[in-house]
Amino acid sequence: ISCVLQDGEVFEKAGVNVSVVFGLLSEEAARQMRSRGKSLKAKDGKLPFCAMGVSSVIHPKNPHVPTMHFNYRYFEIEEADGTKQWWFGGGTDLTPTYLNEEDAVHFHKTLKEACDKHDLKLYPKYKKWCDDYFYIKHRGERRGIGGIFFDDVDSPSKEEVFQFVKSCAKAVVPCYVPIVKRHCQDSFTPEEKLWQQLRRGRYVEFNLVYDRGTKFGLLTPGSRIESILMSLPLTARWEYMHTPPESSKEAEILEVLRNPKDWVH
């Protein structure tokens, strides 16, 4: 079930997907999972699976309001002998066009508080995982200023992991909406809008080249392509050999994308 807003006053494109899919895992998807260390024993080459999750991507109009993405999901596979493997995954991350330290600290602190309720080791671990995952290799930079990201979490117990995932999901509104309210009326120049479009191009590059969820969706027979590509912005731009001037606000955000920061200490 997809709900998408386009050309709104605050959001240029924003969407929420709630998906419950089940069937047989494609060979390509199974190969991807095995490459992550999953031991999957198929029966007659078939692996029944079910996956469910909620995801959202919000691309605001104003370049001073960051793009935000979150996704939380549960996956279950039935092996040849009838045993079931299950795991949770997900995360929440922020992609600003311009760096605002106060916003970055607020975002990360809110996510840290959600993680700390369960285990103090989780935030630093999942923050680093997020920085490593949302990495655009061919550009040598991250997609944004991170947040938290995790996958294949199957311990200590299903109920405990589910409670943790719920805490993370409940942190989405308080970590993001105050930032939107703070900046949605900010004035901006055509040059700032252009920089936003160029950064959106990077967002597209990551999602189409590296994002595991996008790849899995595109490889799932009968999946709804429009919903999978909902994460892409309405508009983006690629300019040949564009480099911002040194010491500019544009160069400032690039520095953080190349060298992730600790925002909460």
Side-chain angles (χ1 to χ4, degrees), residues 67-125:
T67 284
M68 191 274 299
H69 154 260
F70 82 85
N71 165 254
Y72 291 101
R73 58 192 178 273
Y74 172 78
F75 213 96
E76 194 174 272
I77 286 179
E78 188 177 329
E79 296 189 276
D81 60 3
T83 58
K84 289 185 178 177
Q85 282 200 51
W86 61 267
W87 62 89
F88 286 89
T92 305
D93 64 283
L94 197 70
T95 307
T97 301
Y98 288 96
L99 184 62
N100 180 302
E101 297 230 357
E102 191 185 337
D103 294 343
V105 169
H106 166 79
F107 185 80
H108 276 270
K109 269 194 168 165
T110 310
L111 293 177
K112 181 179 184 297
E113 284 163 14
C115 292
D116 286 355
K117 286 180 198 167
H118 301 268
D119 187 335
L120 296 179
K121 296 190 194 110
L122 295 178
Y123 170 76
K125 179 182 176 183

Side-chain angles (χ1 to χ4, degrees), residues 127-152:
K127 191 264 185 200
K128 182 182 185 305
W129 198 337
C130 189
D131 289 334
D132 292 343
Y133 178 75
F134 290 105
Y135 182 59
I136 309 170
K137 276 187 206 155
H138 60 271
R139 298 286 190 182
E141 61 193 48
R142 275 83 194 157
R143 187 177 78 175
I145 60 161
I148 55 171
F149 178 85
F150 55 90
D151 209 352
D152 302 329

Side-chain angles (χ1 to χ4, degrees), residues 9-11 60-67 94 96-107 175-188 192 196 249:
E9 283 185 29
V10 176
F11 300 136
K61 272 194 168 164
N62 193 311
H64 298 294
V65 182
T67 284
L94 197 70
T97 301
Y98 288 96
L99 184 62
N100 180 302
E101 297 230 357
E102 191 185 337
D103 294 343
V105 169
H106 166 79
F107 185 80
C175 78
Y176 182 58
V177 171
I179 297 173
V180 177
K181 287 183 172 172
R182 199 177 297 146
H183 298 293
C184 64
Q185 300 298 329
D186 287 4
S187 60
F188 58 89
E192 288 169 333
Q196 181 195 48
K249 295 287 283 178

Side-chain angles (χ1 to χ4, degrees), residues 153-186:
V153 178
D154 55 8
S155 64
S157 71
K158 193 182 285 190
E159 188 52 40
E160 284 172 280
V161 183
F162 185 40
Q163 291 304 323
F164 164 66
V165 168
K166 282 204 279 190
S167 292
C168 294
K170 284 177 181 171
V172 169
V173 169
C175 78
Y176 182 58
V177 171
I179 297 173
V180 177
K181 287 183 172 172
R182 199 177 297 146
H183 298 293
C184 64
Q185 300 298 329
D186 287 4

